[in-house]
């Protein structure tokens, strides 16, 4: 439950709406609700998100 | 508070209708019709309703008038029954296959028997609020598409309406054993049906015609019975006019579904449940839709999952009733589903 | 409207608490604690909650004060955690094993480690409204029995309280894989766990002590992991002082349970579901209880079934909260269960 | 090379007999009798035999003389059939229930109908090589105990023969859906039977009498249908005269079974499969037996598992034929079973 | 009698190799290599082998020289291991993915890492007797295709070689959980994996390249994890140059497979098992292939099923060894499979 | 949903409460909600119920 104020950003991966709390700091990771990508806060003013580097989980059989 | 009746109430769709309607705050279940079990308690065959109702089954000819009548009888049984029941109800919602196709010729081709009430076909509104909400709000007769047809329609529609589909689509459906209904037949025996990957319709599945009618897209459909009681999934391979990437496709889905109460877009990069899967939808009215893209071959793989007895049947019908009555669309359909399951 | 928190929210019981609490009309979920996943969305691991919440997990040390705190962490983790968390909540409901037994000696014998807060044991009220409703209405600390213990207690109590039990009872428990929690271990691998009849506790199951404490009956318990994700069933063989027939036993059960909202008596002469079975209880808060009698050998076989994650865990805890808050006991627990399934 | 016939060959036990006999190097299958399907290929209903045989079903009255005739027809059908077929065969092996009990009074009590050939009861040798090897070597008529009876007999016998059993034993049987045979009935529908824990015999299971007859131990048996197609397991609680520990009990089992080709003692302290479980026995002729002890209460929990269609039926019968013919006992029964599965 | 070794013997393919090789009358298992479990008994992790062997696992560096070495280690582990082990064996049979593709560029594209021994790629013969029998008879290095690749190759080959394929084929694979190997990971937990229809590869499955290499046909493959432990099925949609009916297609399949010991053509008009299904193939070395035709759209749907651990892995490798050694091809692979199951 | 008036009788098998509609006739079968027994109306004034003869379904394996 977001307690602080949140800004809504577009996910760089899927353009989904990602809520980011206003007190976020660079380097933190937020998660896109729609595509579940992990996004790194690469800048705070203005807020900038980038796809976090990701160990490709092997999801197969 | 309206009064409703369920015909075919001893079957699997009928039982699911009772489950949903008995807990629906605007509805009183006035009759649950069974020809075999008239006089018996409904919880005799639907044990989940124990302690929830003292309702007993009514004989078909004892059926009176009701605000809404839901008809969930077996294949082709509706041909005769539905026309007779229309006068019993302000609104009739048919869950069978007999009034889904507008073209009686297609009906005969796919069902192997001539349609005996072709003049009525035009009067049924397809029971898909996502595509026919306005017409459903005033409909007197509603025909629910088949469960895998609903899933396919919802999976394909954002692509079809955007005009990006480049040719025939293949639809690979998978479904659990409740899709065969309540009758005891050899092929539905536990020892035979358990663990199968049974391609019961390798080509020309009947839902092809429904999908084409609803989306304008030619579909070639096969279907497989897999190990599950509830649940249906469709995997649609869609040739597209130009290479489309995930973002492009997501934008199309979002346009159609972002305000839909029962369609969720599931296409994720991580986690265990990245694309739509039926098991977490058991008992819910969701149809989850998702996709993957292969720009190299200009293909989109569109996927949808639902509970065949709920969004693919009884739940969809209740949603249509809600639309018809002007009630909030989610009334009686709030169950979120379970995990793990 | 009260504010609640769930600790252990990334686990299976934790997820089930979230499912129930997010739809509970008197409750706001203030925090979902996970040590591993703080900052992540809860629907990442609980995919059934997609579209139902934007909640993210909170770190344990960020946990503030809440009206009710539910604690659902692994075995023995509560020993340390529960005492620390009591001050965070007006009422703490522990779903773990650490505060179930009043006798620290028994705890050590069954759990293999000394209890580190024995002075608190007396202050926990057992989370079984059917036996402790009045105390729960004013409790500040509640300890939920284990899932098969709840089932056994409800199965045995009518016989125990009538004073007809003539000696030690045997309890044969069967349980699905969700009973092992969310951790990936070899024994819980699908390929290994699938289709098992795994007698993981052939003798001396830990719930023996809980059953004895709650009913005064000596119990010898074994447990088997069977093919299911959710669901627990207990089959109790009870030697009775004199031959009892079905009517006698039914009378005892009826006395205890006829007004209980979540206990149904299931002992029928016909149909497919004559005695309690878990599968139709998935997602519900029912504990079905039933029996068969063998007057020739003065034996009663008492049977109970429930969903281990609901009435055997999260649902039972919500029911206790409802009692504690003076709300209708069924709030948020209305789901009737599915059939077929 | 001998010539054999199978009566009831269209059923599940009949099909399993065919599977084993067609690959048996000393045997030629001369006839596979079915009343319903005479003239049809056997691989029509037993698809695993495709490519292995061109055999077709024979009508019952076309049955000639054979060295061994296996009879695997439904309950009570053997009463009439078995006496008639005895003259067709040098050795008749009956897999039904009708010639298992020596006492016709017990038969009537457990099967609800008077025995019509009580004079024959004494002439059938129980089809358990582990207990009747010498008599089987010269038997003309063999009666196979029920599948859960075989498991119980093998589990209990080391304790019974050592004279340590102190009173009535309880037997809790669990079994898969193939135990119900090939007929399509509502209770065996996949959607109804799937995932059950169905206590179809809470007391007085019919195998009680067989177990008592074979071991001299009073047994009170219940049985539950669980999710599986093949497989049966029994969990027996045995009160013993004095506290027995694992070593004591292991010694008793070892004495009886160390040279048995198809009984393995499984009671391990580590690993995933510590006690007997049916799933890894599918298709094999093993009966795994194991135990746990509770010296504090002078109880032994004895456990056995087998494939109901093999060691609990067709495989046991082939083993008996091997004994009768003086062949190596494992001929045609070499399959070790699968893992994972 | 030759002497063989299995590397990766603690895994699922490794265990299946042991099962088959221990019962193979021409073979002695000289070593079962495990890095984790060296010194332990093999029946500790492969409980089906209890009573069949006293073999213990060998450390990798204790591996000596053997006539045949089977390598069944995880993805990319073979890159390093296989080249080192070639000198240990007269014939090495690799079951991993690393030496399947002749083109190192394709390897990098599909496996995301550069091939470190590209010079060896040309020396491996594909382990498919149906297509490479003559070369296998003299091969020193064999590379088994993936399990769904084998199925696809056998399904498509009669069409491909007849030159009737008109364009890219789509392959929809379905597979059980044993396909993921023995490692405990969250996605393979029973509670998560149970009942799934998990489209883990919606596009671009790795077997595409293998299928293309073997058949010359462009394939677009997706794969779904379904509820099963063993078993794989592929459904291939094949556009054909001109309308083909059932008879035409059957003729093509018959030409290729009528003398094959392990390929059965299953395309029937009646019965429950009309097209290939894996469940009746568990434990067998069969690959059942079948088809349906849709002349109206010039499409053939080709279907194949097998046990991923047998014909799709260990059994196929044993068959290759039999060919290599000049033995009857079915040696050690006689198990017909079970029904019901 | 009982539309007519109902009397509540005790089930002769289990003593459960069986609702019987007032216009019931002798020979009709009603069902006990609790034990699922089929009960035959053997008298109407006074109302009398008896366990209906029952084909014992084989419920086993
Ligand atoms: N199962 C699914 O997944 C699903 C999903 C969507 C739509 N549907 C459609 O819904 C309908 C019902 O399916 P179902 O699966 O519930 O079937 P079902 O379990 O076989 O039940 C059908 C019921 O219809 C009644 N019935 C049959 N013939 C009748 C007749 N001539 N007149 C009156 N009642 C008759 C039967 O009850 P009595 O014998 O007791 O009268 C039976 O219980 C079908 O048209 C099916 O295509 C099914
Ligand atoms: N499963 C059942 O059927 C069932 C039924 C009734 C009662 N219970 C009881 O309920 C409790 C939870 O069971 P479960 O099945 O939900 O287990 P679970 O799935 O393993 O989840 C337990 C959760 O507790 C958290 N946790 C573990 N150690 C912790 C610690 N030291 N401090 C804080 N959090 C910790 C973990 O989350 P993070 O690592 O993310 O923090 C984990 O997700 C257990 O005590 C169990 O005995 C279980
Ligand atoms: N299933 C088990 O696990 C198991 C284990 C041990 C022993 N048994 C015993 O083995 C016997 C067969 O069991 P099952 O499970 O194989 O049953 P099933 O699958 O029902 O098969 C029985 C077969 O018997 C034939 N049959 C029935 N009545 C007959 C009659 N009057 N005359 C001639 N043939 C008749 C039927 O074939 P047609 O109609 O084609 O003639 C039927 O296919 C039973 O006595 C059972 O108790 C079963
Ligand atoms: N599963 C299938 O359906 C299937 C079908 C066809 C082909 N395959 C292929 O067969 C191979 C084995 O598959 P699987 O399912 O059996 O996998 P698995 O169950 O994970 O077993 C692989 C075994 O390899 C050993 N191993 C791993 N890394 C190793 C290394 N660097 N050096 C030596 N040993 C190593 C491990 O044993 P220790 O840790 O004990 O050494 C492990 O038990 C894979 O390449 C797979 O692609 C699998
Ligand atoms: Zn995103
Ligand atoms: Zn009653």
């Amino acid at each position: 439950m977001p307690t602080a104020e949140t800004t809504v950003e577009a996910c760089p991966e899927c353009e989904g709406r990602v809520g980011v709390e206003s007190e976020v700091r660079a380097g933190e990771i937020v998660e896109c609700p729609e595509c579940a990508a992990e996004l790194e806060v690469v800048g705070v003013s203005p807020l900038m998100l980038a796809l976090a580097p990701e160990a490709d989980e092997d999801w197969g059989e | 508070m309206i009064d409703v009746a369920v015909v075919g109430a001893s079957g699997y769709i009928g039982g699911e209708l009772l489950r949903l309607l008995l807990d629906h705050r605007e509805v009183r279940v006035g009759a649950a019709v069974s020809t075999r079990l008239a006089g018996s308690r409904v919880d005799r065959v639907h044990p989940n309703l124990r302690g929830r109702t003292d309702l007993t089954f009514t004989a078909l000819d004892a059926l009176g008038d009701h605000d809404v009548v839901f008809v969930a009888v077996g294949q082709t049984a509706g041909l005769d029954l539905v026309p007779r029941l229309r006068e019993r109800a302000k609104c009739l919602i048919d869950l069978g296959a007999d009034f889904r196709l507008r073209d009686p010729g297609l009906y005969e081709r796919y069902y192997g028997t001539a349609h005996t009430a072709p003049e009525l076909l035009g009067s049924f509104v397809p029971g898909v609020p996502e595509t026919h909400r306005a017409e459903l709000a005033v409909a007197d007769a509603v025909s629910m598409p088949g469960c895998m047809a609903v899933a396919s329609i919802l999976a394909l529609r954002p692509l079809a309406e955007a005009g990006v589909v480049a040719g025939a689509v293949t639809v690979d459906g998978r479904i659990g054993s409740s899709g065969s209904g309540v009758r005891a037949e050899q092929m539905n025996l536990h020892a035979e049906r358990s663990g199968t990957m049974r391609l019961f319709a390798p080509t020309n599945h009947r839902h092809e015609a429904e999908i084409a009618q609803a989306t304008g897209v030619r579909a070639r459909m096969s279907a497989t019975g897999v190990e599950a009681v509830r649940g249906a999934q469709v995997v649609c391979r869609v040739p597209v006019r130009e290479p489309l990437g995930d973002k492009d496709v997501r934008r199309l889905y979002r346009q159609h579904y972002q305000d839909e109460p029962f369609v969720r877009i599931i296409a994720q990069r991580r986690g265990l449940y990245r694309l739509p899967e039926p098991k977490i939808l058991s008992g819910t009215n969701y149809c989850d839709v998702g996709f993957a893209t292969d720009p190299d071959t200009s293909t989109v793989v569109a996927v949808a999952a639902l509970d065949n007895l709920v969004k693919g049947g009884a739940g969809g019908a209740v949603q249509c009733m809600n639309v018809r009555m002007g009630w909030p669309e989610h009334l009686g359909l709030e169950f979120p589903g379970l995990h793990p399951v």
Side-chain angles (χ1 to χ4, degrees), chain B:
Chain B
M1 195 81 145
I2 65 166
D3 174 281
V4 306
V6 175
V7 179
S10 63
Y12 285 160
I13 287 284
E16 197 68 0
L17 280 164
L18 292 177
R19 170 178 79 85
L20 295 170
L21 293 167
L22 287 167
D23 278 2
H24 194 293
R25 73 171 194 231
E26 299 289 350
V27 163
R28 199 184 78 87
V29 178
V33 172
S34 164
T35 60
R36 254 180 312 133
L37 295 171
S40 284
R41 295 175 58 86
V42 306
D43 63 8
R44 174 167 162 189
V45 290
H46 303 307
N48 56 331
L49 301 182
R50 288 166 176 168
R52 313 288 285 215
T53 181
D54 287 313
L55 201 63
T56 55
F57 290 113
T58 302
L60 183 56
D61 41 22
L63 185 70
D65 289 347
H66 298 272
D67 295 306
V68 178
V69 170
F70 296 89
V71 185
V73 297
Q75 216 117 271
T76 72
L79 268 189
D80 175 53
L81 199 59
V82 164
R84 288 198 289 136
L85 292 174
R86 281 199 59 172
E87 63 195 38
R88 300 253 75 91
K90 291 183 197 135
C91 178
L92 179 148
I93 303 183
D94 181 27
L95 291 108
D98 300 321
F99 294 87
R100 290 174 186 163
L101 296 173
R102 276 190 299 270
D103 175 349
L106 275 179
Y107 182 87
E108 185 160 354
R109 182 168 135 210
Y110 277 100
Y111 292 90
T113 181
H115 204 287
T116 53
E119 70 286 1
L120 294 180
L121 288 174
S123 65
F124 281 79
V125 178
V128 186
E130 292 79 4
T131 59
H132 288 77
R133 193 165 271 119
E135 290 149 275
L136 286 169
V138 296
D140 295 335
V142 176
S143 170
M144 306 301 302
C147 56
M148 292 188 285
V150 172
S152 304
I153 292 165
L154 294 175
L156 293 172
R157 197 182 140 238
L159 302 168
E161 297 200 357
V164 300
V165 181
V169 161
T170 63
V171 176
D172 178 47
R174 301 99 184 261
I175 186 160
S177 60
S178 64
S180 304
V182 80
R183 276 166 317 155
E185 284 168 1
Q186 192 68 14
M187 75 174 172
N188 294 327
L189 257 196
H190 183 270
E192 305 292 349
R193 180 65 177 70
S194 184
T196 51
M197 305 188 198
R198 187 158 299 162
L199 211 61
F200 63 87
T203 59
N204 293 310
H205 189 280
R206 285 164 173 178
H207 291 170
E208 285 179 355
E210 294 178 45
I211 298 168
Q213 174 177 296
T215 64
V217 163
R218 254 179 312 137
R220 292 167 191 168
M221 182 166 173
S222 59
T224 306
V226 296
E227 175 59 52
V229 172
R230 286 174 181 243
Q233 185 189 50
V234 295
V235 180
C236 313
R237 293 197 153 256
V238 184
V240 286
R241 290 193 194 288
E242 55 193 298
L244 293 178
D246 280 17
K247 275 187 201 168
D248 308 310
V249 175
R250 193 180 291 272
R251 207 174 296 127
L252 297 176
Y253 279 80
R254 214 181 263 144
Q255 275 165 26
H256 281 85
Y257 297 133
Q258 65 188 347
D259 298 324
E260 280 299 336
F262 291 114
V263 183
R264 300 186 295 196
I265 304 169
I266 307 297
Q268 304 199 333
R269 300 176 58 85
R270 286 186 321 172
L272 305 183
Y273 299 84
R274 300 184 193 187
L275 285 167
E277 278 197 57
K279 76 167 185 160
I280 56 167
L281 304 179
S282 270
T284 81
N285 198 47
Y286 289 117
C287 178
D288 282 354
V289 301
F291 53 83
T293 60
D294 183 12
D296 290 354
T297 63
S298 290
T299 304
V300 175
V301 174
V303 183
L306 46 68
D307 180 334
N308 53 304
L309 298 180
V310 192
K311 182 63 175 167
V318 169
Q319 188 183 354
C320 288
M321 174 188 70
N322 289 344
V323 172
R324 174 64 176 74
M325 296 296 143
W327 300 326
E329 213 162 311
H330 62 268
L331 270 198
L333 300 168
E334 295 88 353
F335 182 60
L338 301 175
H339 172 262
V341 75

